[in-house]
Amino acid sequence: MNALLTINRPPALEEDLVDYLLSLESVDGFTSYDVKGHGDHVNLSIAEQVSGRKNRKQFEILIDSQDYEAIVGGLLDSVGKDVLFWQSAIQKHGQT
């Protein structure tokens, strides 16, 4: 595993992403947590406009970099739109 794939999406569609990731042989596991998006005010609810933040769910997955295109390629069909994603290099990782 030499890359971190981060996926950010609306919380209402969390289960679709969980199901998709669990179906992939190249994904051994992942971490998910609640985050708040700040900035672009397009497609915000009234409550989000007032608070200045958008509720999102973020997922982090350790992957082999060669699996990135295959995983990301299935997002639109399996999960839908309004999904942000990026890959970061991992220099080292471990477990005790």
Side-chain angles (χ1 to χ4, degrees):
M1 306 290 175
N2 60 359
L4 177 68
L5 173 58
T6 303
I7 302 174
N8 184 291
R9 65 160 311 119
L13 303 172
E14 175 184 12
E15 291 305 316
D16 292 338
L17 182 54
V18 168
D19 291 344
Y20 173 64
L21 293 174
L22 290 174
S23 75
L24 300 174
E25 289 184 25
S26 59
V27 173
D28 292 333
F30 52 89
T31 301
S32 65
Y33 48 94
D34 297 327
V35 296
K36 305 286 187 194
H38 305 270
D40 187 7
H41 294 289
V42 177
N43 299 322
L44 295 181
S45 70
I46 298 297
E48 290 170 337
Q49 291 176 33
V50 170
S51 70
R53 59 187 60 93
K54 186 172 191 166
N55 293 324
R56 305 284 290 184
K57 282 286 194 179
Q58 192 149 302
F59 292 74
E60 293 181 337
I61 309 122
L62 285 174
I63 64 169
D64 288 319
S65 60
Q66 72 262 15
D67 294 328
Y68 175 82
E69 294 298 330
I71 295 169
V72 169
L75 285 175
L76 182 59
D77 291 336
S78 300
V79 182
K81 295 184 178 181
D82 197 16
V83 179
L84 305 171
F85 50 88
W86 58 92
Q87 177 180 323
S88 306
I90 298 294
Q91 298 300 316
K92 296 179 183 180
H93 69 89
Q95 182 176 344
T96 61

